[in-house]
Amino acid sequence: MKSTHLAAAVLAGLLSIAPAWAAEAPRLVAKDGRHALLVDGKPFLILGAQAHNSSNYPAGLGPVWAAANDLKANTVLMPVAWEQVEPEEGRFDFSFVDTLVQQARQQNKRLVLLWFATWKNTSAQYTPAWVKLAPQRFPAMRDKDGKASYCLSPFGTETLKHDKRAFVALMTHLKKIDAQQRTVLMVQVQNEVGTYGLVRDFAPAAQAAFEQPVPAAVLARQKPKLAATGNWREVYGDYADEYFHAWAIARYIGEIAAAGRAVYDLPMFVNNALRNPLEQPPKPWANNFSSGGPSWDVIDIYKAAAPAVDIVGPDLYNAESAQVEANLRLFQRADNALWVPEIGSKSAYGRYLYSMLGRGAIGVSPFGMDYFDYSNHPLGATATDKTIVEPFERVYRMFAPIQRQWAQWAFDGKVRGVGEADDRKPQQLDFPGWTAKLTYRLGRFGEASWGPEFAKPAPGTEEPNGGAAMAQLGPDEFLLIGQRVRVRMEPAEGSSGMMLRAEQGRFDAQGRWVMERVWNGDQVDWGLNLPTEPVMLKITMARPH
Ligand code: DGJ
């Protein structure tokens, strides 16, 4: 064989396995309890924008791209509904997905797809009509008296079979259209699953399963409460119904996710309509949250029953700082990357981007970043125009040019951050060797103790809306990004230290620092007083000897 023929044959062989030009598949990696989403082989920070629920049609996309671009988002989260891709049983139509992926590429955006199917905010509203109209075939959950719930049963074998088939068809299609470019980064399987008003399914098949021994995989993760082994009631007592329902739903979703990944392996996640994170220890379900959803106290059950689901993410719609911070803490685990698929669009949420990105989240996505004429107030902002993106754009604008770098620093454990608390009290960010002290509601000159004129807070600080995120670039060097906060660096206890230099600047397209001015004099005498519009400072600390 001539060498050119040999080369061609080798090339053809390689191409049939993996085209040489195909981008590496997005995947999650973990190190020392931290996480990164690798996109094209490198950590990627999702600065997301989630569309409204009914924007998943070609006509809905224009207002979504407009908002995502204004926001400086790099990724759009978009529903794909079972009802739209399988309008008649067995007939699949992925034309919307084709349009979406094509337009996302033109807009230079990545995508996260949200599979709205058996459960969307727990209900079956996104299932095709042929599912909705056949309750014998696709059964609802039943209460103790046999009365049907609005929610489909996780024991509906036909429901699972058909949801899974449609999802596999979607993933097969995605592989066909996107395995080379990797515009789609992750897939959410169902949306805010669980059930309101009923703790679990009491229909005969479900009841029989409830009386079985708790599976070993669950016992190994979700700590038994009463007995080490036995049926759900024996092991988990008053928590048994809720835990059992979580297991049933997780198993159902896990089976769908695994089947989808078998054809096209993308990271997959579920999102959670949260229970109150401040109720500690959490009490058994009392009709006060969606039973069976992946709330923080049953993440272990989801991990056991749905290993194909990588992440459980919190949907943050309570803007109280104590709630937000508690949720971030509870959902960030060595086995669960912090990923916030939804936060409300009210301006009060903007500051929490500093908490999320500072904690090393793989990404965040405000909900309803979409100029469709609809507002989900009171969960989100009342406006439907450009003002909805502003509180988030303010922060995205700082992180967008360095998103890859920030994601790498986060993966390496170098970042910290926090949004201002509702009580406006000081906070601190602890780094090896140094602590950043953050204070709020101050003027930008002098000390409040000097008198009423000096104690007057800077305009724009009436509501808590400050925050800061920092990366430790070297033992004595920091990058600080923040707004409406006074930052003072202090050496670790017992040592002395001083701020040698504070440069305001930015990173250029090649990732090189561009110094724009040095802060000194008034700008450093009373701490670093960051204004309403965020700034980026590179700070060099020193220990004189
Ligand atoms: C959370 C859900 O996941 C979203 O799809 C949406 O319904 C919001 N709640 C409310 O706007």
Side-chain angles (χ1 to χ4, degrees):
M1 200 191 276
K2 274 197 193 156
S3 63
T4 47
H5 289 161
L6 180 65
V10 170
L11 186 65
L14 285 175
L15 291 185
S16 67
I17 306 164
W21 57 83
E24 206 177 294
R27 68 194 168 96
L28 288 158
V29 287
K31 172 176 79 176
D32 303 331
R34 297 183 298 273
H35 303 268
L37 172 67
L38 301 188
V39 174
D40 304 328
K42 284 184 308 204
F44 183 96
L45 181 65
I46 296 183
L47 298 172
Q50 183 159 162
H52 279 302
N53 288 167
S54 309
S55 296
N56 55 322
Y57 291 85
L61 292 177
V64 174
W65 303 130
N69 283 324
D70 285 348
L71 177 59
K72 301 188 176 64
N74 57 28
T75 305
V76 163
L77 280 69
M78 177 64 74
V80 173
W82 186 6
E83 67 175 355
Q84 85 184 125
V85 304
E86 196 182 3
E88 288 163 34
E89 187 171 349
R91 182 173 73 77
F92 292 101
D93 174 359
F94 293 108
S95 52
F96 169 65
V97 177
D98 292 339
T99 306
L100 174 68
V101 170
Q102 204 178 31
Q103 290 192 14
R105 289 176 186 159
Q106 286 160 0
Q107 299 286 334
N108 199 20
K109 300 278 177 277
R110 303 284 185 149
L111 292 168
V112 169
L113 301 186
L114 316 172
W115 177 238
F116 285 8
T118 300
W119 298 290
K120 156 65 175 88
N121 297 12
T122 77
S123 101
Q125 68 201 95
Y126 280 87
T127 59
W130 55 269
V131 173
K132 290 190 181 103
L133 297 174
Q136 296 300 325
R137 201 172 157 211
F138 305 107
M141 290 166 56
R142 301 269 164 183
D143 71 10
K144 280 185 182 153
D145 303 323
K147 199 166 142 270
S149 149
Y150 71 95
C151 187
L152 289 176
S153 169
F155 292 92
T157 47
E158 280 286 291
T159 329
L160 172 56
K161 181 172 144 199
H162 288 276
D163 186 327
K164 181 167 73 180
R165 185 173 75 158
F167 187 69
V168 167
L170 168 65
M171 296 308 290
T172 306
H173 188 77
L174 270 188
K175 180 181 184 182
K176 197 169 86 195
I177 64 165
D178 199 39
Q180 294 189 5
Q181 279 179 260
R182 313 287 191 182
T183 300
V184 179
L185 302 182
M186 301 203 287
V187 181
Q188 179 186 288
V189 194
Q190 315 294 339
N191 189 85
E192 289 197 349
V193 300
T195 308
Y196 292 104
L198 185 61
V199 71
R200 69 171 171 93
D201 193 0
F202 291 87
Q207 187 57 35
F210 183 73
E211 285 157 17
Q212 293 300 305
V214 176
V218 174
L219 291 175
R221 278 191 166 263
Q222 187 83 12
K223 214 166 147 242
K225 290 189 186 286
L226 298 181
T229 56
N231 67 29
W232 290 84
R233 184 73 67 214
E234 287 162 348
V235 174
Y236 293 119
D238 291 345
Y239 296 84
D241 302 281
E242 173 206 338
Y243 286 9
F244 169 77
H245 196 37
W247 169 77
I249 294 180
R251 206 179 47 146
Y252 184 110
I253 300 174
E255 190 172 323
I256 292 172
R261 295 182 80 145
V263 295
Y264 185 44
D265 192 11
L266 288 183
M268 296 202 181
F269 67 97
V270 290
N271 60 334
N272 180 226
L274 305 166
R275 66 177 298 169
N276 182 352
L278 303 177
E279 184 188 276
Q280 297 284 358
K283 296 197 187 73
W285 183 85
N287 209 355
N288 51 345
F289 59 93
S290 72
S291 176
S295 51
W296 69 267
D297 53 324
V298 295
I299 289 177
D300 281 313
I301 296 180
Y302 271 74
K303 297 285 174 193
V309 173
D310 300 292
I311 307 176
V312 177
D315 289 351
L316 301 170
Y317 287 100
N318 184 324
E320 273 172 41
S321 57
Q323 294 248 351
V324 171
E325 296 298 339
N327 278 314
L328 297 181
R329 200 170 53 243
L330 292 166
F331 281 84
Q332 179 168 35
R333 310 176 6 155
D335 63 356
N336 198 62
L338 183 60
W339 155 235
V340 182
E342 295 182 35
I343 54 173
S345 57
K346 278 188 193 158
S347 64
Y349 290 97
R351 70 200 203 263
Y352 299 127
L353 297 182
Y354 292 108
S355 307
M356 296 164 197
L357 303 182
R359 280 175 173 273
I362 63 158
V364 51
S365 177
F367 179 86
M369 296 289 105
D370 175 346
Y371 297 147
F372 177 42
D373 192 7
Y374 174 80
S375 146
N376 67 350
H377 183 79
L379 297 190
T382 36
T384 59
D385 63 7
K386 213 175 154 158
T387 55
I388 58 172
V389 306
E390 282 168 5
F392 307 97
E393 184 276 339
R394 186 169 277 135
V395 187
Y396 275 22
R397 117 172 48 122
M398 306 307 289
F399 286 90
I402 57 165
Q403 62 97 347
R404 292 283 193 172
Q405 187 60 69
W406 189 270
Q408 181 68 53
W409 289 329
F411 192 41
D412 295 340
K414 294 180 176 164
V415 305
R416 314 273 189 276
V418 70
E420 184 176 358
D422 293 338
D423 63 12
R424 329 282 320 248
K425 289 210 174 123
Q427 296 165 318
Q428 66 184 55
L429 304 176
D430 294 313
F431 291 94
W434 300 95
T435 294
K437 299 264 170 138
L438 314 181
T439 40
Y440 301 93
R441 247 214 124 209
L442 299 170
R444 298 182 68 195
F445 184 95
E447 301 295 349
S449 57
W450 293 356
E453 277 306 304
F454 291 93
K456 256 194 203 153
T461 60
E462 295 76 15
E463 300 292 325
N465 48 26
M470 297 179 75
Q472 189 166 26
L473 309 182
D476 300 324
E477 197 179 39
F478 295 88
L479 184 74
L480 163 65
I481 301 172
Q483 66 193 44
R484 295 162 168 148
V485 59
R486 177 178 289 192
V487 181
R488 276 196 167 106
M489 298 299 292
E490 291 183 5
E493 215 134 325
S495 62
S496 62
M498 63 187 284
M499 196 173 70
L500 204 57
R501 193 170 166 90
E503 296 181 359
Q504 182 176 351
R506 60 184 170 81
F507 285 90
D508 69 11
Q510 281 71 46
R512 285 176 308 223
W513 176 250
V514 181
M515 193 275 277
E516 289 171 339
R517 70 169 82 200
V518 173
W519 278 24
N520 210 338
D522 289 349
Q523 280 69 52
V524 301
D525 288 344
W526 325 109
L528 301 165
N529 286 285
L530 308 191
T532 298
E533 297 304 323
V535 293
M536 198 181 273
L537 293 168
K538 193 142 79 74
I539 303 167
T540 308
M541 303 301 299
R543 299 166 198 281
H545 36 245

